[in-house]
Amino acid sequence: MPASRIADNVKRVRQRISEAAQRSGRGAEDVTLVAVTKYVTAEETAAVVEAGCCDLGESRPQQLWTKAEALAHLPIRWHLVGHLQRNKIRRTLPLVSLLQSVDSRRLLDALSEEAALAVLRLPILLEVNISGDATKTGLNPDELEPLLAHALTLPQIELRGLMGMASLEGDDTAARQDFRNLRHLRDKLAAKFTGQCSLPELSMGMSGDFEIAIEEGATMVRVGSILFE
Ligand SMILES: *Cc1c(COP(=O)(O)O)cnc(C)c1O
């Protein structure tokens, strides 16, 4: 796909983000576009960066490693949005700006240990299964609070907020409800843990529903397929 086409798509998505942000009483600068590049080559990924989008997401650690190496000359902030196996932590940590998919205590503890060895502080989001889909990854809402409390005891872990996905089956109304539930969960936890963490980031919304997510308070949207059509 030509770089000019990708640049047009990025521009169009940014425009739609800006309009949705205004509908929620915010500005375009309040919503980070994370371009999910898992579908495309390193060359096409570079075109996204050249179009001015430097926050990129991959769902597979190995693909992230390969692209991070191929595109090391570009000012990319990498987000991992998919499952991270513990044996891939060591190679992944130094490359990511935000690990969006922390969904278990075992993973969190392993991340904390590795971050201590690497002498770095790792920004993370906790991934919540908001839709209740059996196929979806993420923590059940009732597992969230204990894990959050635990994360706050780990000095190498910088807890930035929550990530979630709307149900694949539902319509726009269902998606809106899922997003609203996630925001309420965030607000409730931020109030409960006042002074310890503020959970500023809400990563929700993909190609099919990012505008709804923004209207419901998303600070970060993860958009893939529509950038490459
Ligand atoms: C693939 C993926 C996206 C992007 O999805 P699109 O529908 O292609 O925009 C967002 N979030 C996660 C976790 C993904 O795996």
Side-chain angles (χ1 to χ4, degrees):
M1 168 169 304
S4 60
R5 177 85 169 263
I6 293 172
D8 278 349
N9 288 346
V10 169
K11 202 170 149 196
R12 246 192 301 271
V13 167
R14 283 213 186 278
Q15 180 62 33
R16 289 171 61 187
I17 288 175
S18 167
E19 287 163 10
Q22 278 164 29
R23 289 196 293 278
S24 75
R26 295 179 296 160
E29 68 285 357
D30 298 316
V31 181
T32 302
L33 169 61
V34 178
V36 178
T37 52
K38 65 189 180 194
Y39 313 101
V40 299
T41 62
E43 200 182 343
E44 290 164 314
T45 301
V48 175
V49 180
E50 277 144 28
C53 180
C54 294
D55 285 277
L56 302 185
E58 284 285 333
S59 61
R60 298 231 169 101
Q62 269 132 325
Q63 253 183 310
L64 192 152
W65 304 342
T66 310
K67 283 195 185 151
E69 187 168 295
L71 303 174
H73 57 291
L74 296 175
I76 298 171
R77 289 180 293 274
W78 287 105
H79 299 241
L80 185 69
V81 300
H83 185 66
L84 179 60
Q85 297 99 320
R86 282 176 303 149
N87 64 0
K88 301 208 170 69
I89 289 177
R90 182 156 297 174
R91 239 185 115 171
T92 305
L93 278 209
L95 302 175
V96 290
S97 297
L98 183 62
L99 181 54
Q100 297 209 6
S101 44
V102 176
D103 61 357
S104 76
R105 176 156 178 162
R106 251 161 52 114
L107 175 60
L108 187 61
D109 285 338
L111 289 169
S112 167
E113 253 174 57
E114 188 59 38
L117 287 176
V119 199
L120 55 80
R121 193 141 190 268
L122 179 69
I124 67 156
L125 304 181
L126 294 176
E127 181 180 352
V128 188
N129 182 345
I130 32 173
S131 67
D133 285 7
T135 52
K136 282 275 161 63
T137 52
L139 298 152
N140 292 323
D142 61 339
E143 298 173 304
L144 183 58
E145 187 176 323
L147 193 62
L148 189 154
H150 180 60
L152 295 177
T153 68
L154 304 173
Q156 311 306 133
I157 298 293
E158 182 186 339
L159 179 57
R160 303 277 307 150
L162 306 180
M163 185 267 253
M165 261 176 261
S167 162
L168 288 177
E169 274 108 67
D171 56 8
D172 285 0
T173 312
R176 188 178 295 281
Q177 194 57 54
D178 288 340
F179 295 142
R180 194 168 293 175
N181 290 344
L182 188 61
R183 175 166 49 97
H184 287 160
L185 202 51
R186 188 277 306 269
D187 292 348
K188 196 182 85 185
L189 290 168
K192 182 150 188 174
F193 292 90
T194 301
Q196 294 174 268
C197 70
S198 61
L199 305 172
E201 301 289 355
L202 260 186
S203 171
M204 52 189 199
M206 312 185 351
S207 288
D209 55 20
F210 71 91
E211 287 151 308
I212 299 173
I214 293 169
E215 288 167 13
E216 295 302 327
T219 62
M220 206 171 253
V221 291
R222 308 178 309 272
V223 176
S225 36
I226 57 168
L227 297 175
F228 307 105
E229 55 183 40

